[in-house]
Amino acid sequence: VCIFFTACETENLFDVLNFIMGFNGVVIERHKIFDSAVTRFKSEKADFADILISEMAMHEGLDFIYTFDKIAAKEKGFKLLG
């Protein structure tokens, strides 16, 4: 099990997130947003947390969010700040 997401390889974290989503007792708030973030995470280079924040922002009607993260800034829903 991956304890620190930032230390995991993308493929491993994707598997862990899908595994968690499969538990009957786990309730994921805003499941559609979470599912979209998991799907994007597999094909993008940004961290999962950044992608989840982006998905939440887009769901609320924002076109993008500003970030200092140069990797995340290259992905959909982000603009580099600074």
Side-chain angles (χ1 to χ4, degrees):
V1 174
C2 182
I3 302 296
F4 299 104
F5 290 151
T6 56
C8 294
E9 294 178 22
T10 300
E11 201 168 297
N12 292 341
L13 181 54
F14 180 77
D15 291 340
V16 169
L17 292 170
N18 275 320
F19 182 72
I20 290 169
M21 288 173 35
F23 280 112
N24 287 337
V26 173
V27 176
I28 299 174
E29 185 177 333
R30 299 183 178 189
H31 191 274
K32 288 182 183 181
I33 294 171
F34 186 83
D35 191 41
S36 293
V38 170
T39 300
R40 278 182 59 191
F41 180 68
K42 188 166 185 173
S43 64
E44 295 184 10
K45 296 187 193 274
D47 293 333
F48 179 72
D50 293 325
I51 293 172
L52 181 59
I53 291 167
S54 170
E55 284 293 321
M56 292 171 71
M58 287 189 294
H59 179 77
E60 296 298 327
L62 300 174
D63 294 325
F64 60 88
I65 57 172
Y66 287 106
T67 183
F68 291 108
D69 187 328
K70 292 178 182 178
I71 294 171
K74 296 177 183 177
E75 305 296 349
K76 177 177 103 174
F78 295 98
K79 283 196 177 182
L80 187 62
L81 183 64

